[in-house]
Structures are given as structure tokens and as C-alpha cells.
Amino acid sequence: MIGDPVRLKTAALLVLLGLLTMLAGIGQLTFWAPSETVTASVPSDTKAAPLTVIDQKLIALHDGPVKIKIQGEGNFVVATGRPDDVDAWVGKTAHNTLTGVSADQKSLEVSSADGEATAPSPAGSDLWVSTEDASGDLDYTWNPPADGEWSLLVAGDGTKPAPSSISMTFPNNATTPWAVPLIVLGIIIILAGAALPFIAKALSNRRTDDDDKPRDGGETTTLPVQSTTVQSPTVESPKGDDGRRRGAGTEGPTLRVTAVAAALAAVLVGGTAVAAQATTTPEATSTPTAAEGGTPVMLESQLQRILEQVASTVDAADAAKDAAKLAPRVDKMELQIRTQNYKIRSTVSAYEPRMPVRATKLQSSVISTKRDWPRTVFALTQGEGNVVPQVLTLVQTSPRENYKLWGSAPLQPGTNFPSFPVPRKGTEPVPASDSTGLAYSGNQALEILSEMLTNPESPNRSKLADGQASPYIAGALAYQADTVKNGTSANFKFTHTPVTNQTVVLRTADGGAVVVGRLDFAFEGTPKAAGDKLLLEDDSAVFAGGKETTTGMVLNFAESVAVYIPPAGSADPMKLVAATRGLVGASFK
């Protein structure tokens, strides 16, 4: 009976060990579990700067939402933009960049760059996908607005230091890989301890039964004892032998059961640990950055916001006939045409105003992937006052300037706007002089159009669809022909000349392209004989300063045009997509 107490003590110890092991595993999931989040702050001795950048690598350091707490004096803004856009806007201004988290996860790592002491306020910049305005403090939860990489810019008005009290709270990536294995191991040890007495007893009884059976299966014969003087060897009693065998039988099963349990636990722990490691270690992923190209210069939501601001600016200026109101959002040809239109209408009340600019309905958006400056986008809109859709050309000349409307042209009747790649993928720009993959370069297309507008018998007329039957081309040629017919006492000359520094080309979905640009249309008249007079219309007289001349006159128009260029190898001709003109000047010779 010596084996029973040993078995019971061993079982009790195993059960106790299992309970402690399981408790340790449960503790790692509960009262010993690491915090769900970690918070790191900008060190208090960080040098003040007018701008603070939160680097995209820091934002993406942990999976899950990132909470940002910012405290500062007065008003400040948090702007979201592509990393290259943020860097371009910051430029040479002194700034701090939050780049990472310290090893103890309590401090944010900061790199400082010296530079200019002030910058414009970033509020209202077209570069930003979104902005958060705050006064005093802001609790901000970061959510990426779209795929790809993003950075944040924190600033006041650009002249004062940016808020320096910034903390970021991340999901804690710390794991407890031993929690589940310890719980499993504890359960196994408890079960082994509980089962040990029964298993050992069963094995002992089996050994006893085996010892009571004859070894060879035959009868036992007792030999007679012979009387001799030779001493017989000492033989141990059956009881002693049986006792030794039972003792061995008792200890053997116990050791074997314990060894099996330990081996099984080791296998489970090893397998679980490997699985835990595999699921908690993030795999390295590769995300294409905006700077690598192929990323649109803006989201469609940005374009819609910009269009609304442009339309609102133009509406206010048109209503007041005040060109100064156009300056924030209108430039180049569109600024010139509308400015001169206001001058004419201030004197000639019956003169037709320019077509209004509308942000809606946005029928098509063409967003370039050219990430250096200047940047260009097209928009096709049709709203109140637009008899037909209009093609709007918006250009941003530098990071700190907003997009401005360079040109607007109504779509030609019966013409469909070409198909472009979806806005989220963007459209590849093409240099105006490059004809790679195209039937003609952008410059060549405008040259052919200008020839056709100047000479009705142009040898290149077959290269442009419909030729003189195009509504705009037909109208321009008819105007010129009627002028010559009715002006019997004067000689006339008409020229249409491309302005190459305002030409933009973007590829279409079929491999072709649309070129948008400006032509300068000059209309010269000279009297045939001394004493002959030329009479100007009321609109031209506003610029010339009079209605009659005996020396000659020049009328100047700006033409906004858009031409579709088919891909190389196509048998299709080019097509005039949109066109309009506006009087911008008149003078006497």
C-alpha cells in the first residue's frame, strides 16, 4: 500500500501545478494584460517652429485608428495632404516633423529643420483633401480619406509658432503569446493529475494479474529434497519478490504518464507559440507613394470644392462687372476675356455677357497625374445658364497658389466629350510638342486648326473632322467672308495663331488625347484709297476710342479651343470638341 500515498501526492502536486499554470495564462489576458493603447507626446523641449508635419510613416506605424490631441494658443488648422504635397507647401519654411515613437513608447521622435521664420496660412489651400479648424485644443481621430500615403500639417497663421503640445494615441501592438498556451498546458496538467491515480492503479492491477499466471502455461512439479552436506543457495521469499515487482510497477506508470503529459504539453506550447508568432507579426507591405507617379493630383471631392469656389467667384464678379473680384480664382485667357467683357457691357448695355461658370452638374472630370507644377485639370459641367456643357481648364502654377480658371469653352453641338480614365486613377499628361502614341502632337493639332480657320482651302482640312462643316469653324469662316464681302472700300487680313505657353494635353482612355489651348485671332482692315473710312461696331469702339478711321484698324480676339487627337495608327481625323472666342481689344493704325 506504499504506492497509493505516492500516487495521491503526485496527483495533487500536478493538479496544483496545473491550476497555477492556468491562472498565469488567464492573468495575461486579464489583470496582467497590456494596455489596449499607448500614448506618446512631443517632448517639452522641442524647438518652436511655424509649421509641424506629422509624417505618414508615423501615422501608419500601427494598425487601427490613431487619436491625436493638439493644444495650442489661438486658432490653428490641421490639414491632410499627400506627403509630396505637404513637403512642397512647407518648402523652405522652418518646421518640425514628427517621425516616430521612442523605444519606451512615451515620446514622439521629432526632427527639426531650420529655414524661413514665417509662411502663409495653409488654411484654404487647394492642396488639402480636408482641414480641421480649431481654437485652443483639438481631439482628432485620423482616418485616411483614400488609399495611399498621407501626411498632416499643423499650423497657426504661419507667423506664430505651431502648437507644440501634441500627443498621439495608438493601438497597442503588444501581445500575450503565452496566455493561451499556459491555459492549455494548465488544463492538460490538471487532467493528468486527476487521472493519474486511476491510470496507475489500473496498470498495477494488470501487472499483478500477469505475475499470478504460469509463465509457460503448464503444471508445476515439486522436486523431493535430497539430504546432502552441500549448502543450498539462499532463495528470497515470493512475498519479497512480489513486493519489488509491485513497487516497480507503481513507479513506472506514474513516471510514464507524467512524461507523456509533459511531452504533449511541450508540443502544444511549441505549436501554439509558433501560431501566435505568425498571427501577431505584421507582414511587410508595399504601398505606392504619390511621389512615384500615377497618383492623381487631387481627389474628385477636392475638384468639386474647387469648382464651387471658382463658380462663386466668377458669379460675384459677373454680377458686379468688377474684374478685381476675379483675381483669386481666374487667370490668363479667361481673366482677359471677362475683364474686357465687363468694359464693353459697362458702355454697351446690349452686349452679351460671357457664359456663366457652373460647378454642377459635373459631367466629367479629367485629373492629371503630373505631380510637379504647374498642374492642370479639366472639368465638364452644365448648370443654370449653360445651354450646352462647357469645358473648364483649371491650372495650379505652384504649391502655395490655388487653382485658377484659365479658360472655358462650350461643347460643340452634336459633339461628345472624349472618355477619360476614372478620376481615382488620373490621366497621363503629354508635353505639347510630343506626338508619341498620337496621330499629332498638341502643337501640331492647334496649328492645323489655325490654318483651317484662316484659309478655307487649307491643305490640312481633311485632318480635322467635318472640316468647314464644324459649327465653330463654319461660323468663323462665314464671319470673315461676310466682312470681306461687305467691306468694299477696305482690304482685310485674318490670322489665327496658337499661343504655345497656354497649351495643355491630357491622354484619353482610348490612347488618344485632348489638347486645350488658346488661339489669338487678329482681324486687320486697311482703307483701299485715301479718304476711305472704316466704321467700327460699338463694342470695338470701346477699346479703339472711336468708331471711324481712315488709317486702318486691328481687332483682337482670344479663342479658347479643345481638340481631340486620335491615337497613332488610327484612320480617324481629329475633332474640334469645344470652342469660343471673345473680343479683347481694338485699335487704330
Side-chain angles (χ1 to χ4, degrees):
M1 300 298 293
I2 297 176
D4 291 337
V6 174
R7 287 195 296 270
L8 293 175
K9 288 180 181 179
T10 303
L13 288 174
L14 286 174
V15 171
L16 178 60
L17 178 60
L19 288 172
L20 292 175
T21 304
M22 187 169 63
L23 181 61
I26 294 172
Q28 288 196 21
L29 295 177
T30 55
F31 45 84
W32 289 333
S35 174
E36 292 183 356
T37 60
V38 292
T39 299
S41 303
V42 171
S44 58
D45 59 351
T46 300
K47 183 180 178 181
L51 304 174
T52 296
V53 177
I54 302 179
D55 190 80
Q56 59 88 17
K57 294 179 181 178
L58 177 59
I59 297 175
L61 185 62
H62 297 269
D63 294 332
V66 178
K67 295 184 178 180
I68 305 172
K69 185 175 182 62
I70 304 174
Q71 293 179 310
E73 296 181 1
N75 298 325
F76 61 89
V77 63
V78 179
T80 301
R82 297 290 187 186
D84 59 331
D85 287 344
V86 173
D87 291 343
W89 197 95
V90 170
K92 298 180 179 180
T93 304
H95 61 282
N96 293 319
T97 303
L98 311 186
T99 59
V101 180
S102 62
D104 61 4
Q105 301 194 72
K106 294 182 179 180
S107 299
L108 294 172
E109 296 176 344
V110 182
S111 65
S112 298
D114 295 329
E116 297 171 358
T118 62
S121 171
S125 172
D126 287 344
L127 281 183
W128 317 133
V129 175
S130 63
T131 57
E132 290 284 341
D133 297 318
S135 179
D137 61 88
L138 172 68
D139 289 320
Y140 178 71
T141 300
W142 163 251
N143 288 302
D147 293 338
E149 295 179 346
W150 301 94
S151 292
L152 299 178
L153 178 68
V154 183
D157 63 359
T159 62
K160 299 177 182 178
S164 57
S165 178
I166 302 177
S167 63
M168 300 180 67
T169 301
F170 306 92
N172 191 356
N173 288 343
T175 60
T176 54
W178 285 100
V180 173
L182 286 173
I183 293 173
V184 173
L185 178 59
I187 294 173
I188 292 173
I189 295 174
I190 291 172
L191 293 176
L196 177 60
F198 302 100
I199 296 174
K201 182 67 175 176
L203 292 174
S204 177
N205 290 340
R206 180 178 177 182
R207 177 62 65 85
T208 302
D209 292 341
D210 289 344
D211 288 343
D212 290 341
K213 293 179 180 180
R215 299 287 180 182
D216 56 4
E219 297 180 356
T220 301
T221 304
T222 303
L223 298 177
V225 179
Q226 297 181 358
S227 180
T228 65
T229 58
V230 180
Q231 187 176 0
S232 301
T234 304
V235 180
E236 294 182 3
S237 67
K239 179 178 180 181
D241 185 69
D242 182 63
R244 283 198 304 273
R245 285 198 298 272
R246 290 190 180 183
T250 302
E251 293 296 326
T254 302
L255 293 175
R256 284 196 296 273
V257 171
T258 306
V260 170
L264 179 59
V267 171
L268 288 173
V269 170
T272 309
V274 171
Q277 181 71 17
T279 56
T280 57
T281 302
E283 294 182 0
T285 58
S286 176
T287 303
T289 63
E292 293 174 355
T295 301
V297 296
M298 66 173 69
L299 301 184
E300 197 166 16
S301 59
Q302 282 176 271
L303 175 59
Q304 187 66 63
R305 185 185 72 224
I306 293 167
L307 285 172
E308 289 170 358
Q309 293 175 2
V310 169
S312 176
T313 298
V314 174
D315 267 354
D318 286 353
K321 300 177 187 176
D322 184 356
K325 294 182 181 293
L326 293 171
R329 285 294 186 178
V330 184
D331 201 3
K332 300 297 182 181
M333 175 172 48
E334 192 68 23
L335 177 61
Q336 183 184 21
I337 290 176
R338 287 189 181 272
T339 297
Q340 302 302 70
N341 182 271
Y342 297 162
K343 287 182 180 180
I344 297 171
R345 289 169 55 209
S346 296
T347 302
V348 184
S349 59
Y351 193 74
E352 186 178 2
R354 293 287 292 174
M355 180 182 290
V357 173
R358 296 292 180 239
T360 56
K361 176 183 178 183
L362 180 59
Q363 297 184 357
S364 180
S365 57
V366 186
I367 302 176
S368 173
T369 57
K370 178 177 175 287
R371 298 202 62 82
D372 54 351
W373 281 267
R375 295 175 171 181
T376 305
V377 296
F378 300 153
L380 184 70
T381 66
Q382 183 176 12
E384 183 181 355
N386 300 146
V387 178
V388 294
Q390 58 182 338
V391 180
L392 305 178
T393 303
L394 303 169
V395 179
Q396 184 186 40
T397 57
S398 68
R400 289 182 176 178
E401 294 184 73
N402 282 338
Y403 280 88
K404 292 186 178 182
L405 179 67
W406 276 25
S408 65
L411 206 65
Q412 289 286 278
T415 301
N416 294 322
F417 194 60
S419 175
F420 286 85
V422 293
R424 68 175 180 274
K425 292 185 178 180
T427 301
E428 179 189 358
V430 182
S433 59
D434 188 2
S435 61
T436 303
L438 300 173
Y440 309 94
S441 70
N443 288 341
Q444 289 173 330
L446 295 186
E447 285 286 354
I448 292 171
L449 173 61
S450 66
E451 284 182 21
M452 187 173 296
L453 289 169
T454 302
N455 177 15
E457 302 302 324
S458 168
N460 289 317
R461 59 183 295 176
S462 63
K463 296 178 181 179
L464 194 62
D466 300 328
Q468 296 179 31
S470 169
Y472 183 80
I473 296 174
L477 293 175
Y479 168 72
Q480 295 167 184
D482 289 344
T483 300
V484 171
K485 180 179 179 181
N486 297 328
T488 56
S489 60
N491 295 317
F492 296 102
K493 179 183 179 181
F494 308 96
T495 58
H496 299 260
T497 307
V499 180
T500 56
N501 64 354
Q502 295 184 33
T503 303
V504 179
V505 185
L506 294 177
R507 286 198 185 275
T508 53
D510 64 356
V514 166
V515 52
V516 174
R518 170 178 177 164
L519 305 180
D520 280 345
F521 171 26
F523 168 13
E524 298 184 39
T526 305
K528 289 183 177 180
D532 288 344
K533 294 182 179 180
L534 296 178
L535 299 178
L536 274 65
E537 298 289 342
D538 290 342
D539 53 356
S540 302
V542 172
F543 301 120
K547 298 189 65 173
E548 295 183 1
T549 178
T550 58
T551 58
M553 59 80 187
V554 179
L555 304 184
N556 299 107
F557 298 85
E559 296 178 292
S560 177
V561 298
V563 178
Y564 167 72
I565 305 172
S570 173
D572 296 332
M574 295 183 294
K575 190 171 187 178
L576 183 63
V577 176
T580 189
R581 67 172 176 264
L583 179 66
V584 295
S587 61
F588 294 137
K589 292 184 176 180

